[in-house]
Amino acid sequence: MKDADSPRSTCAPARLFARTVPLALATLLCTAAPAQADPAPFELTGPDLRITVTRGQQTLPIAQVPSLAEGDRISVHAALPEDQGLKFLLVSAFLRGATNPPPKNWIAIADTWKSKEKDKALTLTVPKGARQMVVLMVPDTNGAEGALVDAVRGKPGEFVRASQDLNQASLDHSRLTAFMGAIQAQDNTGPEYLRAVAPVLARSLSIKLNEDCLSKVIEMQASCLLENKESLVLNDVHSSSLADTLTGTPTDLALQLSATPEAGAGYYSAYIGVARDIARIFGAFSNPQFGYLPTLSVRRDETMSLLLNAAPSFQKPKSVMVTALPAIEADIPPQLRSTAKAPVCIARPGALLPVEGAPLVFSTAFAHDMKVKITTASGQTIDVPVTPRADKGGYVITGEALPSAFTGSMRAQLHGLWGFAPFEGPEFLLQRPDGNAWKVTGDADGLVLGRDNEVVLESAAPSCVEDVTMQQRNGGPKALEWKVRDGNRLAFTVPLAKAAPGAVRVELRYQGAKGPETLSLRARAEASRIDGFELHAGDTEGELTGQRLDQVQSLTLGEIEFKPDGLTREGAVDRLRLVAQGGAKAPDTGTAGKAVIALADGRSLSLPTRIAASRPQAELIGRTVYPGPSAPGARSLELGSGDLLPDNGELVFSIKAAPGERFDTASTIEIATTGGPVAARLSAGKGLTLESQHVMVARLKAADLPAGTFGPLRFRLVGADTAGDWKPLATLARLPRIENLACADNKSDAATPCTLSGRDLFLIGAVSAERTFAQPVAVPPGFTGGSLAVPRPVDGKLYLRLRDAPEDPVALS
């Protein structure tokens, strides 16, 4: 008897298909290997199958079918060479779960060597209740049909698991193949090629990138990037969901073993560990007549080519090649996201629509007949073909030039088919020049010498600008940096710190244009001008208004010195914030004097200044939030701290007047968001109630604030002549409508996610099973779905981090 660890032969007979491995190579592959060795990669070429799927009146090649459906009609042919010397049986089996054997009429057999087409091919209809489908190829042997039928019906769980793993591994393999093909096709004459394209490929196909390889010499970069290729495939949620078809609780010992860490799960991806797992599972019912050999599938149009990780045996035990067809389930289109941070210019052919989130659109043909629907401002539409390019990170617009009417800013949306189902991708904003001249917003002669000046231009297609240069007098051209703003504006800075007065020539060049467009601006010298200095009694800061205030270095009022702390410009007026040094405060109301202003050029200006009345001050002493009623069918949320005001709630707060001050019927309170304009004004009888001359109670309904208001709120007390300082009040948060939280009955399995469903789920930033958010599940920005996979609650509550109030999680019981 042989020792369990002794080498065992994996040799196959020399005769294989004419299209599989040659005899010499097969002999080399049949060397003895230890029984515990890692499985070989799927690099042996097996036979081809020719498969089409018909749903209703539409027929697709197998390469375009991500999933099957009940009632689909499937045609399967074995595409064997003309001189095929070995007879093969083609066996198909529909499955309906690990613990529910299929009926005998769900298993079909074809003799591939028969002369009649109907006898050597499989013509199938997906039966009601089927969940998976596998195809087996086995050398013809007397009694093979019965043995295979008994194997499938006797242990359906093994074939269910094989279908799941082989589908997942084939999808992963498609991404790896696409990555390798693109890397190997690179041109070594372009030194920077791989440095630019490899990160894009890796991001598009969800492949791990060894960035150290890009620092090597050019000749070594490609081979370095492809080292340890089996470990390059990263997990992809969408491809996993397509292959996740295992239902029911497996009861077979071999099937349970394959899911344990000791057996390899958790340490290897499906692509790496599929041969190990399935070999272990199939080993549970191998017999002297047959051994089961898993295969990966490579799909091109109607052809499904099989890849083997070991040479098949045509002697007992004969190899049964097992391949999986797509799962029988609803089509799951990918969640494709736009990564465009600005409008996309389509002035040149081959414009790119950048996307991410679905590697399979680049490595498979599941998404087909893809187009982009372009809609002009006037409502005209046109469909333009697009081509997926993993090396560019998106879809490239192909076809002829657009009609002349399609100019300016245009809306666009990707669409096509995902298998048989309509598929809509993300939306984009496209731009194309319309031939009209640029328009300057604001004062065209407003360039001021001695500082940098921002210039904002309007045009139909600012995203199509290729470069911006400026030139003054006899000086040479100088390149300027620019950015697109608000979709139709182009902003750039003209540096005039050391320039002379006169005309400034600005040239803008569109992509693909023959020549630049020219603008003539004028730079003028402007003397500093001081309009006034506003300072209130007790303040530690004031505001200086005028022009050319960037030249101000300090302001001195009596013994107090003020220093600049922020310059803003509103039209032609500069506003300079000045802060008192050493914590000094402005003197009493009515004090008059002269402020001395020191300028950068050494000059000084004097300004008569009078201290204004002190600002009204108040202290927040109480605050209560009253949540509004939940919408019909929605579940209530626990808001936690009293700092959170829901968008359907009411905030009641009280303030106390500062010492020496009193409230009266003219007192008002203003509410605003941080950095925003006043959103609400409360007055006596309209949200304000005087408890006494020193205490006032305010009521603020979230519904009374302007639409679109959210985030931290602040308040200030407004007196007869002036307003007090802004102080924090509460955080206004828009709440999602949670309708249901569904979890599997197996409460002990904490790894099984639950499903959270409702509306406006994009208002959630992250979800966690514990209050500390140690392992949160992030919700993508702009999420439009109606359900989310969330972790199972640990203490009976699920915690939500709202986008409007990330510091104050709410709880769902």
Side-chain angles (χ1 to χ4, degrees):
M1 180 176 180
K2 294 184 179 179
D3 189 279
D5 292 329
S6 63
R8 56 180 177 148
S9 175
T10 59
C11 292
R15 186 78 169 96
L16 246 86
F17 314 105
R19 295 176 60 186
T20 36
V21 294
L23 173 60
L25 180 57
T27 305
L28 291 174
L29 291 170
C30 293
T31 55
Q36 302 300 323
D38 287 341
F42 289 85
E43 294 179 344
L44 298 182
T45 303
D48 291 345
L49 300 176
R50 202 166 61 251
I51 305 175
T52 59
V53 180
T54 302
R55 185 174 300 174
Q57 301 300 315
Q58 185 179 9
T59 299
L60 292 180
I62 189 62
Q64 295 181 356
V65 181
S67 58
L68 301 174
E70 293 180 1
D72 282 355
R73 301 183 300 280
I74 307 171
S75 173
V76 183
H77 292 72
L80 301 176
E82 294 293 335
D83 60 347
Q84 174 65 34
L86 186 68
K87 296 180 178 180
F88 276 89
L89 292 176
L90 190 61
V91 182
S92 67
F94 292 104
L95 305 165
R96 57 186 180 187
T99 58
N100 193 3
K104 288 185 177 180
N105 62 357
W106 282 19
I107 303 173
I109 301 174
D111 303 322
T112 60
W113 64 91
K114 296 292 186 179
S115 58
K116 293 183 179 180
E117 189 68 23
K118 67 181 184 67
D119 296 328
K120 67 179 182 180
L122 296 170
T123 303
L124 312 165
T125 300
V126 178
K128 184 177 181 180
R131 298 294 303 278
Q132 300 88 25
M133 177 183 176
V134 293
V135 173
L136 316 177
M137 287 191 71
V138 59
D140 180 40
T141 304
N142 291 333
E145 296 91 333
L148 294 175
V149 171
D150 291 343
V152 174
R153 299 189 71 244
K155 295 192 178 227
E158 282 76 349
F159 291 93
V160 169
R161 176 62 183 270
S163 171
Q164 174 194 14
D165 281 357
L166 292 175
N167 268 316
Q168 174 68 63
S170 295
L171 294 174
D172 289 347
H173 179 267
S174 73
R175 293 191 282 131
L176 178 61
T177 301
F179 179 75
M180 293 175 60
I183 294 296
Q184 291 167 344
Q186 66 94 14
D187 182 4
N188 279 339
T189 61
E192 296 299 319
Y193 177 83
L194 275 181
R195 290 188 180 95
V197 78
V200 179
L201 278 169
R203 188 165 54 251
S204 300
L205 296 165
S206 192
I207 297 292
K208 183 170 68 176
L209 179 68
N210 183 356
E211 295 184 357
D212 292 339
C213 295
L214 301 180
S215 62
K216 296 181 179 293
V217 297
I218 298 170
E219 291 76 13
M220 297 179 61
Q221 288 177 7
S223 59
C224 176
L225 287 170
L226 300 180
E227 288 178 353
N228 303 316
K229 60 186 179 183
E230 289 82 5
S231 64
L232 297 179
V233 183
L234 301 178
N235 182 45
D236 171 47
V237 174
H238 185 248
S239 62
S240 298
S241 66
L242 288 178
D244 187 14
T245 59
L246 183 61
T247 59
T249 303
T251 56
D252 185 87
L253 177 61
L255 194 57
Q256 295 181 31
L257 174 64
S258 68
T260 64
E262 291 79 9
Y267 301 137
Y268 301 96
S269 71
Y271 175 61
I272 299 171
V274 63
R276 179 198 303 276
D277 289 345
I278 296 179
R280 183 180 295 109
I281 295 170
F282 284 160
F285 65 101
S286 293
N287 57 60
Q289 187 177 7
F290 295 113
Y292 294 84
L293 186 64
T295 69
L296 299 188
S297 59
V298 177
R299 309 182 197 179
R300 295 182 184 88
D301 297 327
E302 296 182 359
T303 301
M304 176 183 280
S305 300
L306 307 187
L307 293 178
L308 316 175
N309 76 316
S313 172
F314 303 142
Q315 297 178 345
K316 292 185 178 181
K318 295 187 177 182
S319 294
V320 179
M321 288 173 282
V322 182
T323 192
L325 263 68
I328 304 167
E329 60 183 3
D331 287 322
I332 309 174
Q335 297 294 322
L336 206 59
R337 302 183 297 274
S338 166
T339 59
K341 297 180 181 179
V344 176
C345 176
I346 57 172
R348 286 179 176 174
L352 176 69
L353 304 179
V355 296
E356 68 175 11
L360 294 183
V361 304
F362 298 110
S363 65
T364 71
F366 294 162
H368 56 98
D369 295 325
M370 294 297 293
K371 297 183 174 74
V372 60
K373 183 178 182 179
I374 303 176
T375 305
T376 66
S378 63
Q380 290 180 277
T381 62
I382 188 174
D383 277 334
V384 180
V386 292
T387 302
R389 289 287 300 270
D391 59 333
K392 293 184 179 293
Y395 280 90
V396 171
I397 298 179
T398 55
E400 300 178 356
L402 295 176
S404 58
F406 286 80
T407 57
S409 292
M410 300 169 284
R411 291 181 294 108
Q413 183 171 32
L414 278 174
H415 69 95
L417 294 173
W418 181 260
F420 291 95
F423 166 49
E424 288 192 352
E427 294 184 345
F428 298 86
L429 178 64
L430 309 184
Q431 290 186 344
R432 185 181 179 209
D434 60 2
N436 294 327
W438 290 88
K439 296 180 181 179
V440 181
T441 63
D443 185 4
D445 293 332
L447 300 183
V448 178
L449 296 174
R451 61 177 168 181
D452 293 343
N453 295 258
E454 184 181 65
V455 177
V456 180
L457 307 177
E458 287 187 356
S459 168
S463 66
C464 292
V465 170
E466 194 168 54
D467 61 65
V468 179
T469 60
M470 66 162 282
Q471 188 172 2
Q472 190 178 25
R473 290 192 174 182
N474 298 325
K478 181 177 182 179
L480 302 179
E481 294 185 358
W482 78 96
K483 58 183 176 182
V484 177
R485 183 183 294 173
D486 301 329
N488 66 337
R489 295 187 175 188
L490 187 78
F492 55 89
T493 298
V494 178
L496 296 176
K498 299 180 180 180
V504 177
R505 177 189 175 97
V506 177
E507 292 186 348
L508 304 99
R509 186 183 301 274
Y510 277 126
Q511 297 178 18
K514 295 181 179 179
E517 292 192 24
T518 302
L519 289 175
S520 182
L521 307 177
R522 182 168 293 278
R524 299 180 183 274
E526 182 182 31
S528 296
R529 190 190 77 216
I530 307 299
D531 294 338
F533 180 51
E534 183 181 0
L535 184 66
H536 293 263
D539 279 0
T540 60
E541 63 183 57
E543 185 180 79
L544 191 67
T545 56
Q547 288 186 343
R548 292 297 309 272
L549 298 187
D550 55 318
Q551 298 296 307
V552 175
Q553 287 192 325
S554 67
L555 181 148
T556 304
L557 180 63
E559 300 296 324
I560 306 175
E561 183 184 24
F562 294 80
K563 290 286 189 181
D565 188 40
L567 175 67
T568 59
R569 189 176 190 188
E570 297 178 5
V573 178
D574 286 354
R575 296 184 180 275
L576 181 64
R577 180 172 176 260
L578 294 168
V579 177
Q581 302 302 293
K585 295 184 178 180
D588 294 339
T589 303
T591 303
K594 283 191 176 182
V596 179
I597 302 168
L599 303 180
D601 60 3
R603 292 179 299 164
S604 63
L605 303 174
S606 63
L607 177 70
T609 302
R610 187 176 184 84
I611 307 300
S614 60
R615 300 178 187 273
Q617 302 294 333
E619 177 186 2
L620 183 68
I621 59 175
R623 183 180 61 182
T624 303
V625 173
Y626 295 94
S630 300
R635 298 178 59 172
S636 60
L637 297 172
E638 298 177 14
L639 301 183
S641 72
D643 184 60
L644 198 65
L645 172 61
D647 56 355
N648 64 345
E650 183 180 34
L651 173 66
V652 179
F653 63 97
S654 57
I655 60 174
K656 181 179 180 181
E661 296 187 11
R662 295 182 177 184
F663 296 137
D664 56 31
T665 56
S667 299
T668 60
I669 292 178
E670 291 181 343
I671 309 294
T673 57
T674 302
V678 173
R681 185 174 285 106
L682 308 178
S683 59
K686 296 182 179 180
L688 284 186
T689 303
L690 285 173
E691 178 187 297
S692 65
Q693 292 182 331
H694 302 287
V695 177
M696 192 159 47
V697 178
R699 293 179 178 273
L700 175 67
K701 291 184 178 180
D704 293 338
L705 295 172
T709 303
F710 60 91
L713 299 177
R714 55 182 183 164
F715 79 98
R716 69 179 178 184
L717 181 63
V718 180
D721 301 316
T722 186
D725 295 329
W726 288 107
K727 296 185 178 181
L729 178 61
T731 301
L732 178 62
R734 298 165 295 174
L735 301 182
R737 175 175 171 174
I738 307 301
E739 297 173 351
N740 191 29
L741 176 64
C743 298
D745 294 334
N746 187 6
K747 298 181 179 179
S748 62
D749 187 6
T752 303
C754 301
T755 300
L756 182 73
S757 57
R759 300 182 64 182
D760 297 334
L761 300 183
F762 61 87
L763 296 174
I764 304 173
V767 183
S768 175
E770 65 281 339
R771 187 183 297 272
T772 60
F773 279 77
Q775 295 181 319
V777 175
V779 180
F783 180 75
T784 58
S787 62
L788 287 168
V790 298
R792 182 183 291 271
V794 176
D795 57 357
K797 294 182 179 181
L798 196 66
Y799 296 92
L800 312 179
R801 180 177 289 162
L802 303 178
R803 295 194 187 277
D804 296 346
E807 302 301 325
D808 296 295
V810 300
L812 175 67
S813 299

